[in-house]
Every structure is written in structure tokens, then in C-alpha cells.
């Protein structure tokens, strides 16, 4: 970090998650020692270079556990969310963390004199049916943008990289199922972005508060892919052949509900079906225009690294 930011104290929530762990790792590599809020100390020891980080145990649904976590912090990178690929365990499952957890974090951050919160959301966040997953994500953004804190919201398209959740789920499907479903015909568009490029964007936002404060950034990779094209890329990368079958959204929605009812870790959830209700894309030059570098291509990544 630049000279004037040497003393910046950063808290990462959701540090054991996909985005948070990559961010913590990168900051540690560059000599930073961010504080990491984790729920599970054993998990943090497995997925994080804990000796190079400050680890604090807590849970955003328990406000008392957040007070020590925010003490002395300048900027929070908020990645602690229950994402749509998680099975809904009870009516309040998503909102308890996504809405109430964010409200708790904002409240303690304001009280502790934290200056700024950077929230990692997702493309397409918009108001939705009360109680729905998407409405909760929208409410989480509003809680921050209507607070007295300085804020930045980053909304990426789906992520790729080693063990990226969305891609990993599709690869598991390809490996285990005799056919692959073209949900809604497979025409829905995505703009996969490399996890390390998302980390680079977050670091730029951390470095440039004047330019990036009180803004929403929608970001994606350098190309659009339909769902069918993503499956085709993954079939090629895994050297598999699978018949691709048309799967109407209503039918897949029913299958997701059924799988969620009977499986502990269903490959598809009702909330994840939200991803198939809009094109998950933004401007093709979003990252280059706003952050000055060209993000990694999904196809080039697969060719170089496999799935
Ligand atoms: N991955 C993607 O493809 C993608 C794409 C676009 C946007 N995003 C967004 O990026 C953000 C981070 O996603 P991710 O992929 O990193 O998710 P993730 O891998 O599921 O990680 C979520 C993190 O939040 C933590 N967490 C959940 N509930 C918590 C609570 N009540 N208190 C404290 N921590 C809690 C989890 O802790 P445990 O480890 O203990 O479960 C985990 O560390 C989300 O807003 C997501 O929507 C992700």
C-alpha cells in the first residue's frame, strides 16, 4: 500500500469464504496484516495463512461478538454473506446474516468510528419480493448506503478460479450426471470474472478512497458467455461428453425445491435460480475502464489451468 495508507487498519468479514480468503491471502503477501472475522477457528487454520493475519472469532448475527472485531478499524471489507448456493435452513436463514448481520455490522462500525465499509455484493441486486433472497441482498446494500459511513459496493458477476463455487458446482454436475441441463434453454448470459481480479479491484478501492467512495461498481470479465457456452467450456476442460438437454426454468425450479428438501448440499437451490432470471452481465470494459487493467479471460484460464 502507498505510504499514506501504511497505517490503514482493515477488517475482513467472511474471511474464510471464497472472496475473503483470497483477499486476506493477497494482503498478507503484500505485507499487510488485516484483521479477519471468522466463525470457525479450525476452518480459519485450514484456509488462511493465520500466522500472517490477526484472527478474531465472531458472527455478524451476534452483535456483541463484533465490538472487539471493529475496535481500531478504519475500513471493513464485508464479505460475510450467505450466498444463494446455500440451502435455506429455516425461514430467516438468509436474512439473519445478510440483513440483520449487516445491520449489526453497520451499527457497531458507526459506534466505533470506523470510516468506511466496502461491501461485496453481486450483479443484478435489486428490490424483490419481501422475504426473498434478492430482497435481502438489496436491503443489505441499502443499510450501508443509507448509513453515515463512507461506503463502496462492488457487484461482481460469477467468479472463476480454483474451487470457485459456481464453476465447481457445474463441474460436479458434469462429472456425476448423465446429461447436463440447459436451464431455460441455456441462453442466460454471464460474465465470469477471475477471483484474483476481484481481489485486485477491492485493493484498488481500498487504495483510492477519494475516487471510489459512495459508489457502486458492477464488474465482470472480458467476455460474455451464455450458460450453454459455460457448460461447453467446462465439458471441453474436463474432457467429458454429455448430452445437453433443454430444461425449462419452471421444471428446474421444481427440481431445485425438491433437492433442497431432501439433500443436505443440493447442487441447485431455489435462491440460486434467481441467477437465471436476468443476464448476469455489465459493460465488457467495466474493470479496465474503472480500475485500469484487463481482467483474465475465462477460456484462457481454463486452457492454462483446467477447471
Ligand atoms: N463466489 C462467487 O461466484 C460470487 C460471485 C458474485 C458475488 N459474490 C459475492 O461475494 C461475497 C462473498 O461470497 P463468497 O463466494 O466468498 O461466499 P462464501 O465462500 O460462501 O463465504 C461466505 C463467508 O461468510 C461467512 N459467514 C456467513 N455467515 C456469517 C455470519 N453470520 N457471521 C460471520 N461470517 C459469516 C462464511 O463463514 P464460514 O466459512 O464459517 O461459513 C464465509 O467466510 C457475497 O456477497 C457473494 O454474493 C460471490
Amino acid at each position: 500500500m502507498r505510504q499514506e495508507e501504511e497505517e490503514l487498519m482493515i477488517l475482513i468479514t467472511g474471511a474464510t469464504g471464497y472472496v475473503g480468503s483470497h483477499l486476506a491471502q493477497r494482503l498478507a503477501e503484500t505485507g499487510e496484516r488485516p484483521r479477519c472475522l471468522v466463525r470457525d477457528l479450525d476452518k480459519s487454520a485450514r484456509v488462511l495463512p493465520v500466522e500472517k493475519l490477526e484472527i478474531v472469532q465472531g458472527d455478524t448475527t451476534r452483535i456483541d461478538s463484533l465490538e472487539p472485531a471493529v475496535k481500531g478499524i478504519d475500513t471493513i471489507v464485508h464479505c460475510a454473506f450467505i450466498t444463494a448456493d446455500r440451502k435455506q435452513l429455516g425461514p430467516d436463514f438468509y436474512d439473519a446474516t445478510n440483513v440483520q448481520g449487516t445491520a449489526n455490522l453497520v451499527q457497531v462500525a458507526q459506534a466505533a468510528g470506523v470510516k468506511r465499509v466496502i461491501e461485496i455484493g453481486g450483479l443484478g441486486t435489486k428490490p424483490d419480493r419481501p422475504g426473498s433472497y434478492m430482497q435481502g441482498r438489496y436491503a443489505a446494500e441499502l443499510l450501508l448506503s443509507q448509513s453515515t459511513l463512507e461506503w463502496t459496493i462492488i457487484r461482481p458477476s460469477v467468479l472463476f478460479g480454483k474451487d470457485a463455487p459456481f464453476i465447481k458446482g457445474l463441474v460436479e454436475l458434469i462429472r456425476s450426471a448423465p446429461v447436463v441441463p440447459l436451464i431455460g434453454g441455456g441462453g442466460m448470459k454471464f460474465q465470469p470474472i477471475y477471483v484474483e481480479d476481484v481481489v485486485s479491484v477491492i485493493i484498488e478501492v481500498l487504495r483510492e478512497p477519494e475516487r471510489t467512495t459512495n459508489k457502486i461498481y458492477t464488474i465482470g470479465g472480458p467476455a460474455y458467455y451464455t450458460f450453454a457456452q459455460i457448460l461447453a467450456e467446462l465439458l471441453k476442460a474436463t474432457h467429458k461428453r454429455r448430452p445437453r438437454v433443454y430444461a425449462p426454468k419452471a421444471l428446474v425450479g421444481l427440481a431445485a425445491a425438491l433437492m433442497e428438501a431432501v439433500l443436505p448440499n443440493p447442487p441447485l437451490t431455489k435462491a440460486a435460480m434467481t441467477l437465471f432470471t436476468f443476464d448476469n452481465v455489465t459493460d465488457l470494459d467495466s474493470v479496465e475502464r474503472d480500475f485500469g487493467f484487463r481482467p483474465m479471460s475465462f477460456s484462457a484460464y481454463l486452457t492454462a489451468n483446467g477447471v
Side-chain angles (χ1 to χ4, degrees):
M1 293 248 163
R2 287 193 310 238
Q3 187 68 39
E4 67 271 24
E5 285 141 17
E6 265 172 12
E7 299 302 319
L8 193 69
M9 281 293 297
I10 298 165
L11 170 71
I12 305 171
T13 72
T16 49
Y18 195 61
V19 175
S21 62
H22 282 82
L23 175 64
Q25 175 77 45
R26 177 88 71 84
L27 288 173
E29 277 165 15
T30 55
E32 303 273 320
R33 194 179 171 83
R35 188 177 296 162
C36 294
L37 182 79
V38 306
R39 292 196 290 191
D40 177 343
L41 291 176
D42 290 339
K43 183 173 180 185
S44 68
R46 284 197 308 276
V47 304
L48 292 170
V50 286
E51 64 292 347
K52 297 183 187 154
L53 304 165
E54 186 187 340
I55 304 291
V56 177
Q57 194 171 21
D59 186 315
T60 58
T61 62
R62 288 191 293 106
I63 198 161
D64 56 310
S65 73
L66 297 178
E67 279 151 12
V70 299
K71 201 163 177 233
I73 290 294
D74 301 297
T75 302
I76 299 173
V77 184
H78 184 29
C79 308
F81 290 96
I82 302 289
T83 53
D85 55 343
R86 299 294 153 103
K87 164 177 168 156
Q88 184 166 15
L89 302 169
D92 195 32
F93 179 65
Y94 297 116
D95 280 0
T97 289
N98 297 349
V99 183
Q100 193 53 48
T102 301
N104 292 342
L105 189 71
V106 166
Q107 187 183 323
V108 294
Q110 287 177 148
V114 171
K115 202 158 176 240
R116 187 171 186 224
V117 176
I118 300 166
E119 182 168 318
I120 314 305
L123 265 190
T125 300
K126 58 180 186 303
D128 199 359
R129 190 172 41 78
S132 63
Y133 172 81
M134 185 60 92
Q135 177 60 28
R137 298 308 306 260
Y138 177 69
E141 291 194 352
L142 274 192
L143 279 163
L144 179 59
S145 61
Q146 294 181 346
S147 74
T148 56
L149 296 159
E150 292 180 9
W151 56 271
T152 305
I153 293 166
I154 302 173
R155 294 176 175 167
S157 187
V158 294
L159 269 56
F160 67 88
K162 191 170 179 311
D163 292 332
F166 179 74
I167 300 299
K168 196 174 169 197
L170 293 179
V171 169
E172 278 166 12
L173 185 73
I174 285 171
R175 289 193 168 131
S176 60
V179 296
V180 290
L182 292 181
I183 299 172
M188 205 53 77
K189 289 197 196 84
F190 294 86
Q191 196 178 343
I193 180 163
Y194 186 36
V195 61
E196 294 296 346
D197 290 331
V198 174
V199 168
S200 298
V201 165
I202 298 171
I203 289 176
E204 278 305 299
V205 169
L206 279 166
R207 278 184 177 153
E208 294 199 51
E210 298 81 12
R211 181 172 78 85
T212 59
T213 284
N214 298 357
K215 288 202 175 120
I216 296 177
Y217 290 99
T218 56
I219 58 169
Y224 300 142
Y225 292 77
T226 63
F227 183 62
Q229 286 170 326
I230 291 182
L231 284 175
E233 290 285 340
L234 296 177
L235 284 163
K236 191 168 83 177
T238 50
H239 310 289
K240 299 275 184 207
R241 284 163 182 261
R242 294 282 182 272
R244 283 160 248 187
V245 296
Y246 171 67
K249 274 188 217 163
L251 192 67
V252 182
L254 274 177
L258 187 67
M259 286 190 285
E260 207 169 320
V262 297
L263 299 175
N265 294 307
L268 197 61
T269 63
K270 286 177 285 177
M273 283 304 292
T274 318
L275 274 182
F276 290 89
T277 59
F278 58 92
D279 283 329
N280 206 262
V281 295
T282 185
D283 297 339
L284 279 177
D285 68 345
S286 56
V287 171
E288 199 160 6
R289 181 194 61 214
D290 293 331
F291 299 100
F293 71 94
R294 192 169 164 77
M296 166 84 84
S297 137
F298 178 50
S299 304
Y301 172 87
L302 289 177
T303 304
N305 303 282
V307 288

mmCIF file with all atom_site columns, all heavy atoms in Angstrom, residues 296-307:
data_model
loop_
_atom_site.group_PDB
_atom_site.id
_atom_site.type_symbol
_atom_site.label_atom_id
_atom_site.label_alt_id
_atom_site.label_comp_id
_atom_site.label_asym_id
_atom_site.label_entity_id
_atom_site.label_seq_id
_atom_site.pdbx_PDB_ins_code
_atom_site.Cartn_x
_atom_site.Cartn_y
_atom_site.Cartn_z
_atom_site.occupancy
_atom_site.B_iso_or_equiv
_atom_site.pdbx_formal_charge
_atom_site.auth_seq_id
_atom_site.auth_comp_id
_atom_site.auth_asym_id
_atom_site.auth_atom_id
_atom_site.pdbx_PDB_model_num
ATOM 1  N N   . MET A 1 296 ? -8.593  -11.315 -16.520 1.00 0.00 ? 296 MET A N   1
ATOM 2  C CA  . MET A 1 296 ? -8.296  -12.619 -17.127 1.00 0.00 ? 296 MET A CA  1
ATOM 3  C C   . MET A 1 296 ? -9.522  -13.164 -17.873 1.00 0.00 ? 296 MET A C   1
ATOM 4  O O   . MET A 1 296 ? -10.646 -13.046 -17.395 1.00 0.00 ? 296 MET A O   1
ATOM 5  C CB  . MET A 1 296 ? -7.901  -13.565 -15.989 1.00 0.00 ? 296 MET A CB  1
ATOM 6  C CG  . MET A 1 296 ? -7.869  -15.021 -16.305 1.00 0.00 ? 296 MET A CG  1
ATOM 7  S SD  . MET A 1 296 ? -6.324  -15.507 -17.038 1.00 0.00 ? 296 MET A SD  1
ATOM 8  C CE  . MET A 1 296 ? -5.334  -15.741 -15.576 1.00 0.00 ? 296 MET A CE  1
ATOM 9  N N   . SER A 1 297 ? -9.242  -13.793 -19.030 1.00 0.00 ? 297 SER A N   1
ATOM 10 C CA  . SER A 1 297 ? -10.326 -14.438 -19.778 1.00 0.00 ? 297 SER A CA  1
ATOM 11 C C   . SER A 1 297 ? -10.624 -15.822 -19.180 1.00 0.00 ? 297 SER A C   1
ATOM 12 O O   . SER A 1 297 ? -9.699  -16.570 -18.823 1.00 0.00 ? 297 SER A O   1
ATOM 13 C CB  . SER A 1 297 ? -9.898  -14.562 -21.246 1.00 0.00 ? 297 SER A CB  1
ATOM 14 O OG  . SER A 1 297 ? -10.230 -15.809 -21.776 1.00 0.00 ? 297 SER A OG  1
ATOM 15 N N   . PHE A 1 298 ? -11.893 -16.145 -19.083 1.00 0.00 ? 298 PHE A N   1
ATOM 16 C CA  . PHE A 1 298 ? -12.328 -17.442 -18.544 1.00 0.00 ? 298 PHE A CA  1
ATOM 17 C C   . PHE A 1 298 ? -11.761 -18.583 -19.394 1.00 0.00 ? 298 PHE A C   1
ATOM 18 O O   . PHE A 1 298 ? -11.195 -19.556 -18.871 1.00 0.00 ? 298 PHE A O   1
ATOM 19 C CB  . PHE A 1 298 ? -13.864 -17.457 -18.525 1.00 0.00 ? 298 PHE A CB  1
ATOM 20 C CG  . PHE A 1 298 ? -14.496 -18.724 -18.053 1.00 0.00 ? 298 PHE A CG  1
ATOM 21 C CD1 . PHE A 1 298 ? -14.109 -19.338 -16.877 1.00 0.00 ? 298 PHE A CD1 1
ATOM 22 C CD2 . PHE A 1 298 ? -15.532 -19.313 -18.791 1.00 0.00 ? 298 PHE A CD2 1
ATOM 23 C CE1 . PHE A 1 298 ? -14.725 -20.510 -16.432 1.00 0.00 ? 298 PHE A CE1 1
ATOM 24 C CE2 . PHE A 1 298 ? -16.157 -20.468 -18.357 1.00 0.00 ? 298 PHE A CE2 1
ATOM 25 C CZ  . PHE A 1 298 ? -15.751 -21.078 -17.190 1.00 0.00 ? 298 PHE A CZ  1
ATOM 26 N N   . SER A 1 299 ? -11.877 -18.448 -20.724 1.00 0.00 ? 299 SER A N   1
ATOM 27 C CA  . SER A 1 299 ? -11.398 -19.527 -21.609 1.00 0.00 ? 299 SER A CA  1
ATOM 28 C C   . SER A 1 299 ? -9.885  -19.688 -21.482 1.00 0.00 ? 299 SER A C   1
ATOM 29 O O   . SER A 1 299 ? -9.375  -20.820 -21.413 1.00 0.00 ? 299 SER A O   1
ATOM 30 C CB  . SER A 1 299 ? -11.746 -19.217 -23.067 1.00 0.00 ? 299 SER A CB  1
ATOM 31 O OG  . SER A 1 299 ? -13.122 -19.010 -23.198 1.00 0.00 ? 299 SER A OG  1
ATOM 32 N N   . ALA A 1 300 ? -9.157  -18.565 -21.427 1.00 0.00 ? 300 ALA A N   1
ATOM 33 C CA  . ALA A 1 300 ? -7.688  -18.638 -21.314 1.00 0.00 ? 300 ALA A CA  1
ATOM 34 C C   . ALA A 1 300 ? -7.307  -19.281 -19.984 1.00 0.00 ? 300 ALA A C   1
ATOM 35 O O   . ALA A 1 300 ? -6.370  -20.083 -19.915 1.00 0.00 ? 300 ALA A O   1
ATOM 36 C CB  . ALA A 1 300 ? -7.085  -17.243 -21.428 1.00 0.00 ? 300 ALA A CB  1
ATOM 37 N N   . TYR A 1 301 ? -8.051  -18.953 -18.931 1.00 0.00 ? 301 TYR A N   1
ATOM 38 C CA  . TYR A 1 301 ? -7.756  -19.543 -17.619 1.00 0.00 ? 301 TYR A CA  1
ATOM 39 C C   . TYR A 1 301 ? -7.932  -21.062 -17.677 1.00 0.00 ? 301 TYR A C   1
ATOM 40 O O   . TYR A 1 301 ? -7.084  -21.815 -17.195 1.00 0.00 ? 301 TYR A O   1
ATOM 41 C CB  . TYR A 1 301 ? -8.678  -18.937 -16.546 1.00 0.00 ? 301 TYR A CB  1
ATOM 42 C CG  . TYR A 1 301 ? -8.547  -19.638 -15.206 1.00 0.00 ? 301 TYR A CG  1
ATOM 43 C CD1 . TYR A 1 301 ? -7.575  -19.260 -14.286 1.00 0.00 ? 301 TYR A CD1 1
ATOM 44 C CD2 . TYR A 1 301 ? -9.370  -20.722 -14.880 1.00 0.00 ? 301 TYR A CD2 1
ATOM 45 C CE1 . TYR A 1 301 ? -7.422  -19.931 -13.085 1.00 0.00 ? 301 TYR A CE1 1
ATOM 46 C CE2 . TYR A 1 301 ? -9.228  -21.398 -13.676 1.00 0.00 ? 301 TYR A CE2 1
ATOM 47 C CZ  . TYR A 1 301 ? -8.247  -20.992 -12.780 1.00 0.00 ? 301 TYR A CZ  1
ATOM 48 O OH  . TYR A 1 301 ? -8.103  -21.671 -11.596 1.00 0.00 ? 301 TYR A OH  1
ATOM 49 N N   . LEU A 1 302 ? -9.049  -21.509 -18.280 1.00 0.00 ? 302 LEU A N   1
ATOM 50 C CA  . LEU A 1 302 ? -9.308  -22.954 -18.337 1.00 0.00 ? 302 LEU A CA  1
ATOM 51 C C   . LEU A 1 302 ? -8.233  -23.668 -19.155 1.00 0.00 ? 302 LEU A C   1
ATOM 52 O O   . LEU A 1 302 ? -7.785  -24.761 -18.795 1.00 0.00 ? 302 LEU A O   1
ATOM 53 C CB  . LEU A 1 302 ? -10.691 -23.220 -18.940 1.00 0.00 ? 302 LEU A CB  1
ATOM 54 C CG  . LEU A 1 302 ? -11.900 -22.857 -18.069 1.00 0.00 ? 302 LEU A CG  1
ATOM 55 C CD1 . LEU A 1 302 ? -13.193 -23.112 -18.830 1.00 0.00 ? 302 LEU A CD1 1
ATOM 56 C CD2 . LEU A 1 302 ? -11.898 -23.637 -16.748 1.00 0.00 ? 302 LEU A CD2 1
ATOM 57 N N   . THR A 1 303 ? -7.815  -23.032 -20.260 1.00 0.00 ? 303 THR A N   1
ATOM 58 C CA  . THR A 1 303 ? -6.774  -23.648 -21.095 1.00 0.00 ? 303 THR A CA  1
ATOM 59 C C   . THR A 1 303 ? -5.478  -23.794 -20.293 1.00 0.00 ? 303 THR A C   1
ATOM 60 O O   . THR A 1 303 ? -4.806  -24.823 -20.353 1.00 0.00 ? 303 THR A O   1
ATOM 61 C CB  . THR A 1 303 ? -6.528  -22.777 -22.352 1.00 0.00 ? 303 THR A CB  1
ATOM 62 O OG1 . THR A 1 303 ? -7.774  -22.617 -23.019 1.00 0.00 ? 303 THR A OG1 1
ATOM 63 C CG2 . THR A 1 303 ? -5.515  -23.406 -23.295 1.00 0.00 ? 303 THR A CG2 1
ATOM 64 N N   . ALA A 1 304 ? -5.151  -22.785 -19.519 1.00 0.00 ? 304 ALA A N   1
ATOM 65 C CA  . ALA A 1 304 ? -3.874  -22.803 -18.778 1.00 0.00 ? 304 ALA A CA  1
ATOM 66 C C   . ALA A 1 304 ? -3.939  -23.669 -17.517 1.00 0.00 ? 304 ALA A C   1
ATOM 67 O O   . ALA A 1 304 ? -2.948  -24.303 -17.141 1.00 0.00 ? 304 ALA A O   1
ATOM 68 C CB  . ALA A 1 304 ? -3.475  -21.384 -18.420 1.00 0.00 ? 304 ALA A CB  1
ATOM 69 N N   . ASN A 1 305 ? -5.093  -23.679 -16.845 1.00 0.00 ? 305 ASN A N   1
ATOM 70 C CA  . ASN A 1 305 ? -5.162  -24.293 -15.505 1.00 0.00 ? 305 ASN A CA  1
ATOM 71 C C   . ASN A 1 305 ? -6.103  -25.475 -15.380 1.00 0.00 ? 305 ASN A C   1
ATOM 72 O O   . ASN A 1 305 ? -6.120  -26.136 -14.342 1.00 0.00 ? 305 ASN A O   1
ATOM 73 C CB  . ASN A 1 305 ? -5.601  -23.245 -14.475 1.00 0.00 ? 305 ASN A CB  1
ATOM 74 C CG  . ASN A 1 305 ? -4.681  -22.055 -14.447 1.00 0.00 ? 305 ASN A CG  1
ATOM 75 O OD1 . ASN A 1 305 ? -3.610  -22.118 -13.885 1.00 0.00 ? 305 ASN A OD1 1
ATOM 76 N ND2 . ASN A 1 305 ? -5.099  -20.974 -15.082 1.00 0.00 ? 305 ASN A ND2 1
ATOM 77 N N   . GLY A 1 306 ? -6.960  -25.695 -16.350 1.00 0.00 ? 306 GLY A N   1
ATOM 78 C CA  . GLY A 1 306 ? -8.033  -26.683 -16.187 1.00 0.00 ? 306 GLY A CA  1
ATOM 79 C C   . GLY A 1 306 ? -9.104  -26.127 -15.260 1.00 0.00 ? 306 GLY A C   1
ATOM 80 O O   . GLY A 1 306 ? -9.062  -24.954 -14.895 1.00 0.00 ? 306 GLY A O   1
ATOM 81 N N   . VAL A 1 307 ? -10.023 -27.007 -14.851 1.00 0.00 ? 307 VAL A N   1
ATOM 82 C CA  . VAL A 1 307 ? -11.154 -26.495 -14.059 1.00 0.00 ? 307 VAL A CA  1
ATOM 83 C C   . VAL A 1 307 ? -10.766 -26.231 -12.593 1.00 0.00 ? 307 VAL A C   1
ATOM 84 O O   . VAL A 1 307 ? -9.854  -26.790 -12.075 1.00 0.00 ? 307 VAL A O   1
ATOM 85 C CB  . VAL A 1 307 ? -12.355 -27.475 -14.064 1.00 0.00 ? 307 VAL A CB  1
ATOM 86 C CG1 . VAL A 1 307 ? -13.016 -27.441 -15.431 1.00 0.00 ? 307 VAL A CG1 1
ATOM 87 C CG2 . VAL A 1 307 ? -11.961 -28.875 -13.663 1.00 0.00 ? 307 VAL A CG2 1
#
